[in-house]
Amino acid sequence: MKFTYVLPLVAISTALVLPDEQVFNQIAIDSHKSADSAWDKLPSKHQVVDKLEESVDKVGQSLGKLSKCSKHALDSAIDYAVETGDDLSKKVHQTGFAAGSWANSAINIEDHHPHLKPNQTIYELIASSKYTTKLAAAISEYPDLVVLLNGTLANYTLFAPVDSAFEKIPEDAPKPSKETLKKILMYHVSPEFYPAGKVLVTHTVPTALTVDTVGIGPQRVSTNIGLRGLTVNFYSRIIAIDIFGTNGVIHGIDSLLVPPPNVADIITLLPGEFSTLELGLTKTGLLPAINDTSNHYGGTLFAPSNFAFQKLGPRINAFLFSSYGLKYLKALLEYHVVANQTLYSDAFYAAAEADQKDIPKGIFHIDLATLLKDKSLAIDVFRYGRYINIKVNAFSTVTIEDGIAADGVIQVVSDVIVPPKPIDRMNTYWQGEELTVDDLKERLEPFVQDTNVEL
C-alpha cells in the first residue's frame, strides 16, 4: 500500500497548535466568585484525581480481560474505547476547566502496567491490527523504522494514528517526499516510556525526530487536557490507551501528528492572537531575523497577545508604532526573544550543552539572555504534577504554554514584558503599575542606538 496523502503542513499543524479552547483552559479561576457559580459545581481536586486514577485503572483492567479472549490487544483496546464512549476522555474532560485545582495531587497518579505479559513488539501489534493497517504499511517502507519498533534498546511509546486518521487528509493534498514522510512517522515515536499515567502529568514528550533547528534535543509533542479530552498537540485526540508490547506502549490517536512549522510562521498564521506582535516584529525587521535558523539553534519567544498590548494603553501603543517610536519598539520586542535556549514547561534545551534537561518538580529558576544587550529574563517555573505556573520577571504569567515549533517554542505571556529600570545597581522590574511614555522611554533609551538585528 502506498501512503499517497499528507496533511497540509502549515494549515493543519500551525492553525491548531494554539487553539482558542486552550485559552479557556488557562484562565485562572477568580477566588471571589459567588457560591452559586458554575465553577463551584466542579469536582474538587481530590475527587478529580481519584476519578482519573479510577478511569485509567478501569480501562487497563478491561483491556486485560479483553486480551484473554481476543486475538489482538490493540483491536480490543480500540473496540473498547468505541463501545464505552471513551470513558477516560470523558473523565479527563471534567478537569479541563480547572486544571490548577486538581493537578496539585496529580503527581500521585501511578503508571499503569499490563495485567498480562505482552508477547508482541510494538511493530508486530500495529502490523497485525485491523485498525492500523495504513500506519503499518507506511512504516514498512522504512526498514530502519521496523527494526526500531521491533527492537529492545528502549521502551518506546508510539502515538498510533488509526486508519480513519488517514482519511482526514484532503484528496488533493500533494504526496510527500519519502524523507518528509519518514519525519512524520518519527514524530509519532518517543524513545521513552510514557504509559497513560505518565502522559496525564506530562506537558511535553520527546520524540524520535531530531532537528538541528530546535537546539540540542529532539523535537517534542505537547499533551493537553481540554474540551475534547486528552489530546496531543491540541488536535489529535487519544482514543485508546496503554496497549503494551514487549518493547513499549501504544496509544491510539484519531489524527496524524505533523511536525510543526517555525515560530515566525505560527505568529503569522494566528492573527486573532498575535496580529499586533506580528506587526511589531515586521516593522522592526525582527520577524525575518527570527525566521532565519542559520544564525541560531532553537529559541524561546515570550509572545504577548493582542490583549497584552492593549493593556499598555492607547498612548504607549501609538508612540511605539509611530515612526519615531519604532526604535523603542524594537528594543522592547528584543526583550521577548531568547536565542539558542529553548524553554518548554518541563524541559530545557541549550545549544551550548550536550544534553537536554528535564525541569524538576517544585521550583525551578533560570535567567535567559535576550536579544536586548546584557538583559535577561528571570524565569520561575512552579511545577507539581501536571500543574505548572511560569512567571517572567516575577510579574507576567505564561497563559498558554508550549507552542511547539520547528525552531523552538512559543510561550504566550499575559503582559508585555518591560525591561527593568536600573536603580543603585539593582534591577527594578515593572510590576504592572501605570506606565507613561516617558517612563517607557527611560527604560529603553540605553538600547535604542543599535539598529542591527542579530540573534
Side-chain angles (χ1 to χ4, degrees):
M1 170 185 170
K2 295 183 178 179
F3 185 73
T4 56
Y5 307 114
V6 64
L7 290 173
L9 298 182
V10 174
I12 297 297
S13 64
T14 305
L16 296 173
V17 83
L18 293 174
D20 291 340
E21 71 179 33
Q22 182 68 2
V23 178
F24 295 114
N25 298 338
Q26 297 289 347
I27 295 176
I29 299 174
D30 186 353
S31 60
H32 301 291
K33 287 188 179 290
S34 61
D36 59 352
S37 168
W39 295 106
D40 298 323
K41 300 178 182 179
L42 292 174
S44 69
K45 63 182 179 182
H46 301 292
Q47 291 173 325
V48 171
V49 171
D50 288 343
K51 287 183 178 180
L52 284 170
E53 291 176 323
E54 178 185 346
S55 297
V56 171
D57 192 57
K58 177 181 176 183
V59 173
Q61 290 176 3
S62 299
L63 295 182
K65 293 176 182 177
L66 284 168
S67 296
K68 295 179 181 180
C69 58
S70 172
K71 294 181 179 179
H72 197 275
L74 181 54
D75 291 350
S76 298
I78 297 176
D79 285 338
Y80 179 76
V82 173
E83 291 171 4
T84 61
D86 199 3
D87 182 65
L88 175 64
S89 183
K90 289 183 178 179
K91 296 297 184 184
V92 173
H93 169 80
Q94 297 177 19
T95 72
F97 297 95
S101 69
W102 60 264
N104 286 339
S105 299
I107 192 172
N108 296 320
I109 296 177
E110 297 181 358
D111 290 346
H112 173 68
H113 296 282
H115 293 268
L116 295 176
K117 186 176 181 180
N119 58 8
Q120 290 181 295
T121 66
I122 288 178
Y123 179 74
E124 288 171 342
L125 282 168
I126 62 169
S128 57
S129 171
K130 65 183 180 181
Y131 289 106
T132 52
T133 60
K134 295 180 180 179
L135 175 63
I139 290 176
S140 68
E141 297 291 324
Y142 303 89
D144 55 334
L145 284 185
V146 175
V147 170
L148 178 74
L149 296 179
N150 272 327
T152 56
L153 293 179
N155 273 324
Y156 301 99
T157 301
L158 174 65
F159 294 99
V162 295
D163 287 347
S164 59
F166 290 80
E167 296 171 5
K168 298 180 181 181
I169 303 171
E171 292 185 2
D172 57 349
K175 181 180 178 179
S177 66
K178 194 164 186 177
E179 180 183 4
T180 298
L181 176 54
K182 185 175 183 180
K183 289 180 179 179
I184 293 173
L185 295 173
M186 295 289 284
Y187 195 52
H188 290 77
V189 179
S190 174
E192 299 183 19
F193 188 58
Y194 280 84
K198 189 175 180 180
V199 172
L200 284 171
V201 295
T202 300
H203 278 230
T204 67
V205 175
T207 73
L209 176 62
T210 57
V211 289
D212 294 337
T213 54
V214 82
I216 307 300
Q219 184 59 272
R220 303 178 81 88
V221 295
S222 65
T223 66
N224 319 277
I225 297 176
L227 299 177
R228 299 181 62 240
L230 183 61
T231 60
V232 183
N233 280 3
F234 297 100
Y235 59 87
S236 185
R237 189 165 64 94
I238 294 179
I239 58 175
I241 62 167
D242 284 349
I243 302 96
F244 291 94
T246 56
N247 61 343
V249 63
I250 299 172
H251 304 302
I253 55 177
D254 70 353
S255 299
L256 282 163
L257 301 176
V258 181
N262 290 348
V263 165
D265 295 329
I266 294 175
I267 295 299
T268 300
L269 290 169
L270 290 174
E273 192 73 24
F274 301 121
S275 59
T276 308
L277 175 61
E278 181 197 357
L279 177 62
L281 291 172
T282 302
K283 290 175 73 70
T284 58
L286 284 171
L287 192 66
I290 292 174
N291 205 32
D292 182 4
T293 57
S294 66
N295 54 14
H296 66 284
Y297 295 95
T300 308
L301 174 63
F302 291 91
S305 64
N306 292 337
F307 181 62
F309 276 98
Q310 290 176 16
K311 291 199 286 189
L312 289 177
R315 290 187 178 181
I316 288 181
N317 275 288
F319 166 73
L320 288 173
F321 287 89
S322 67
S323 56
Y324 176 73
L326 280 182
K327 57 185 178 181
Y328 294 92
L329 176 62
K330 177 187 170 186
L332 180 64
L333 293 179
E334 286 177 335
Y335 194 52
H336 292 74
V337 182
V338 175
N340 302 315
Q341 297 182 96
T342 306
L343 181 72
Y344 303 96
S345 60
D346 52 9
F348 176 62
Y349 298 170
E353 299 178 8
D355 298 312
Q356 69 185 61
K357 294 179 181 178
D358 289 332
I359 293 179
K361 296 178 177 66
I363 301 175
F364 173 79
H365 176 85
I366 190 170
D367 294 318
L368 298 178
T370 70
L371 297 190
L372 195 62
K373 185 178 180 181
D374 298 327
K375 288 297 178 183
S376 297
L377 295 173
I379 310 297
D380 292 290
V381 181
F382 303 88
R383 183 182 177 208
Y384 197 71
R386 188 170 181 88
Y387 174 75
I388 293 180
N389 180 267
I390 304 175
K391 287 281 189 180
V392 183
N393 287 357
F395 168 61
S396 186
T397 300
V398 173
T399 57
I400 306 178
E401 301 152 354
D402 301 324
I404 305 292
D407 57 346
V409 67
I410 299 173
Q411 306 289 2
V412 182
V413 288
S414 60
D415 297 86
V416 174
I417 308 168
V418 178
K421 183 187 297 184
I423 299 178
D424 298 328
R425 298 182 181 179
M426 296 291 292
N427 285 333
T428 303
Y429 292 119
W430 182 62
Q431 298 293 303
E433 65 271 15
E434 184 177 354
L435 192 68
T436 66
V437 172
D438 288 338
D439 291 334
L440 183 64
K441 288 174 64 177
E442 181 183 355
R443 291 171 181 267
L444 296 174
E445 192 70 47
F447 311 104
V448 300
Q449 304 303 320
D450 185 7
T451 59
N452 294 323
V453 180
E454 296 182 357
L455 296 183

